[in-house]
Amino acid sequence: MSNESRKQLLRNLPAVHRVIVSPECEPLLQEYGHTLVSKTVSEVITTIRNRMLAGEEQQAPTMEQLVEAVERRLTLLYQTHYRRVINATGVVLHTNLGRAPLASSAVDILVKTASGYTNLELNLDTGERGTRYAHVEDLICRLTGAEAALVVNNNAAAVLLVLREMAKGKKVVISRGQLVEIGGSFRVSEVMAESGAILHEVGTTNKTHGYDYERAIDEETALVMKVHTSNFRIVGFTHQPILEELVRIAHERNVPVYEDLGSGSLLDLRKYGIGDEPTVSESVKAGVDIISFSGDKLLGATQAGIIIGKKEYIKRLKRNQLTRALRVDKLTLAALEATLRLYLDEEKAIREIPTLYMLTRSFEDLREAAEELASGLRKIFHELANVSVVDGVSQVGGGSLPTEELPTLLVAVKSSQFSLNALAEAMRLVDIPVMAMIRKEALLFDVRTIFRREIQECIESVRRAFANIC
Ligand SMILES: *Cc1c(COP(=O)(O)O)cnc(C)c1O
């Protein structure tokens, strides 16, 4: 395009005020107000001008087209980024999808706590100032058998706090096989450096013996640390001393033991045939002095780092300045408390905490869900796709029980008539996005992680997505 015609094109672009006073713009002004609309009009015009200058736009838009572009931009501006998503991946603790969904009693209290004032730091019996953590501390102690407890922002924060308070400038003895990196590039060795503690690794990647710890502990040692290797397993020629032995060795030398449990299971999932995850109370019983674990992994509550242990140590942690910086808000505490209360009755916990329910779902339950989903999907695709229910395996996820395979049922969609990739992409772009998987030329929906109440919504989302690609 010549310079002259480009100039001509630019001249055809209306000025901001002309757009604002146009009848097309009137409804936008009503809804969004003058300031926001004129700012957006100016942004849209600048964008178009740049496209014209770059030769990407050969024609000036009509007033109607311009106002439509402004409206699209305003709608996007008001759309919240965070949306509810249907998880059809079968990964129960899906970090990208927000890990643990909350139990409905936790959601109820969350809404109540969020929408008004609350007795966060007030003792209603005496009318005096109370402590923020008192409500959950008692409950955590009752459920784990610990003497005292503290809650911080997440388990990564808990590790940092414990190392800083207990071992700044001192040695921490840890097995080489436990110097793990967990998601979000959190490395035990680096957190240790950040905390000011001095790492003293013992043993080898696959084997560490009691005598390795015995030789390493000296007057400079402040802590023996054990890290649960949450997200991987070393199998074969391996050895680690059992927890009781580790505690005995450390205590004989007057050194406390800290265990980062990672997930922190409050009930014994082994009873349900799931995994080999030790429970939190087993660590307490073994005599471990300080234990930390996540609130939103197997426990199934909000993001939090729960620290439990002997009174004298928890007291010291509470006094550390970092604790104030890592403190949790009222919403976290309210939801955590409601979730913990469900654990008072194990059956209730399994039924009502979504993470536990999904992990322990019966085959009949999965079968009913899969049949309902499959029959809904068949009505959408008719002869354009083959929909069947097949066996599969789900994962726990969230860096928990990495080798555990949970037998599940998948709804598989196969088609030579349309692109499954295009459908999967369209499913992410509808009102309630659905995250499914593509494997070996099939679009797979693992029903384990779809709530029963979501099955019809899932079908509706697929229907819309399919309409958008047809
Ligand atoms: C997950 C995990 C953490 C971090 O917990 P967050 O609550 O995600 O911060 C720390 N240590 C271990 C062993 C873990 O598995």
Side-chain angles (χ1 to χ4, degrees):
M1 195 188 296
S2 73
N3 262 348
E4 205 35 57
S5 52
R6 205 167 276 175
K7 268 188 203 146
Q8 184 56 43
L9 192 56
L10 288 174
R11 270 197 290 276
N12 287 342
L13 258 184
V16 175
H17 74 270
R18 272 204 38 226
V19 182
I20 300 282
V21 297
S22 73
E24 287 89 342
C25 202
E26 181 57 29
L28 291 190
L29 288 171
Q30 293 284 342
E31 189 168 348
Y32 297 102
H34 189 276
T35 316
L36 187 56
V37 173
S38 57
K39 187 167 188 296
T40 312
V41 169
S42 145
E43 285 167 3
V44 168
I45 290 177
T46 306
T47 310
I48 298 171
R49 182 191 309 276
N50 290 340
R51 288 176 56 83
M52 285 174 166
L53 286 171
E56 294 162 4
E57 196 78 62
Q58 317 289 345
Q59 233 178 342
T62 63
M63 187 58 83
E64 203 182 345
Q65 287 168 331
L66 235 168
V67 172
E68 265 171 24
V70 171
E71 181 167 19
R72 272 198 302 276
R73 219 176 165 103
L74 285 165
T75 312
L76 269 182
L77 195 62
Y78 272 91
Q79 189 174 59
T80 54
H81 169 75
Y82 296 106
R83 312 254 289 282
R84 181 162 70 87
V85 165
I86 294 175
N87 176 7
T89 67
V91 181
V92 177
L93 294 167
H94 199 305
T95 304
N96 300 155
L97 302 182
R99 280 202 195 155
L102 292 178
S104 59
S105 63
V107 174
D108 289 346
I109 195 71
L110 204 57
V111 171
K112 282 191 190 122
T113 310
S115 40
Y117 294 99
T118 165
N119 60 332
L120 179 66
E121 292 187 359
L122 175 75
N123 184 329
L124 288 174
D125 292 330
T126 63
E128 279 161 22
R129 179 164 187 187
T131 64
R132 168 179 293 250
Y133 300 109
H135 306 293
V136 289
E137 181 167 358
D138 288 349
L139 202 48
I140 295 170
C141 291
R142 176 190 277 266
L143 294 169
T144 60
E147 288 176 13
L150 171 66
V151 182
V152 291
N153 196 33
N154 55 27
N155 190 33
V159 176
L160 179 66
L161 173 64
V162 172
L163 291 174
R164 169 80 126 230
E165 171 59 36
M166 301 297 297
K168 188 177 171 191
K170 304 243 181 65
K171 266 167 56 173
V172 177
V173 173
I174 182 170
S175 161
R176 173 171 292 200
Q178 295 168 11
L179 286 172
V180 302
E181 172 171 323
I182 54 170
S185 59
F186 175 94
R187 287 184 173 172
V188 171
S189 52
E190 284 169 24
V191 177
M192 191 138 355
E194 190 67 40
S195 75
I198 301 157
L199 171 70
H200 184 132
E201 47 175 298
V202 295
T204 60
T205 307
N206 56 330
K207 282 200 173 203
T208 306
H209 298 278
Y211 57 73
D212 291 319
Y213 288 95
E214 284 172 353
R215 281 184 206 147
I217 298 173
D218 60 19
E219 312 78 64
E220 296 303 306
T221 308
L223 205 60
V224 168
M225 182 176 184
K226 177 171 183 184
V227 178
H228 185 53
T229 52
S230 313
N231 52 6
F232 71 101
R233 291 286 181 271
I234 295 181
V235 295
F237 191 58
T238 66
H239 182 81
Q240 286 287 340
I242 59 164
L243 206 47
E244 283 79 1
E245 187 189 354
L246 191 63
V247 168
R248 180 185 54 77
I249 292 168
H251 285 183
E252 275 171 8
R253 291 158 180 79
N254 288 318
V255 173
V257 177
Y258 164 41
E259 185 176 26
D260 170 11
L261 260 183
S263 223
S265 193
L266 288 186
L267 52 82
D268 195 351
L269 286 169
R270 291 166 293 199
K271 275 201 310 206
Y272 301 87
I274 299 166
D276 51 2
E277 192 75 10
T279 64
V280 176
S281 20
E282 280 169 49
S283 294
V284 175
K285 275 205 202 84
V288 179
D289 302 274
I290 306 170
I291 300 160
S292 73
F293 50 96
S294 288
D296 59 346
K297 289 188 182 171
L298 288 175
L299 198 146
T302 41
Q303 178 187 302
I306 300 172
I307 310 175
I308 61 172
K310 310 254 165 80
K311 261 205 176 86
E312 54 170 313
Y313 301 121
I314 300 297
K315 217 162 142 187
R316 277 175 60 184
L317 293 170
K318 281 180 180 167
R319 280 202 295 259
N320 190 300
Q321 280 299 309
L322 251 190
T323 302
R324 174 63 179 81
L326 303 175
R327 92 175 178 190
V328 289
D329 75 329
K330 58 187 177 179
L331 301 182
T332 297
L333 284 170
L336 181 62
E337 188 206 344
T339 310
L340 289 170
R341 289 221 182 272
L342 296 171
Y343 278 97
L344 292 171
D345 174 354
E346 182 165 326
E347 276 175 32
K348 206 169 179 162
I350 291 280
R351 210 173 43 235
E352 295 183 22
I353 297 172
T355 303
L356 299 179
Y357 161 69
M358 285 173 179
L359 287 173
T360 60
R361 283 180 80 162
S362 72
F363 227 68
E364 301 87 86
D365 184 16
L366 293 169
R367 160 99 35 215
E368 279 177 32
E371 294 298 349
E372 185 184 344
L373 180 58
S375 93
L377 295 186
R378 280 185 197 113
K379 285 183 196 134
I380 296 171
F381 302 124
H382 299 289
E383 68 290 349
L384 294 175
N386 177 277
V387 179
S388 58
V389 175
V390 299
D391 290 323
V393 285
S394 323
Q395 287 163 40
V396 180
S400 308
L401 298 166
T403 52
E404 192 63 16
E405 297 190 331
L406 306 164
T408 192
L409 288 173
L410 310 169
V411 175
V413 177
K414 290 186 182 173
S415 176
S416 51
Q417 308 294 311
F418 59 89
S419 154
L420 294 172
N421 278 311
L423 179 60
E425 190 186 323
M427 279 160 44
R428 290 200 308 272
L429 299 175
V430 289
D431 252 5
I432 305 176
V434 178
M435 302 302 298
M437 303 162 286
I438 294 203
R439 301 266 155 77
K440 294 193 204 136
E441 343 237 284
L443 180 62
L444 302 173
F445 298 76
D446 186 335
V447 291
R448 177 181 296 279
T449 46
I450 307 177
F451 290 92
R452 284 304 289 268
R453 59 170 191 270
E454 288 178 331
I455 295 277
Q456 288 304 320
E457 287 175 324
C458 179
I459 295 167
E460 184 52 32
S461 286
V462 176
R463 184 195 314 284
R464 288 181 185 201
F466 190 56
N468 286 347
I469 62 163
C470 284

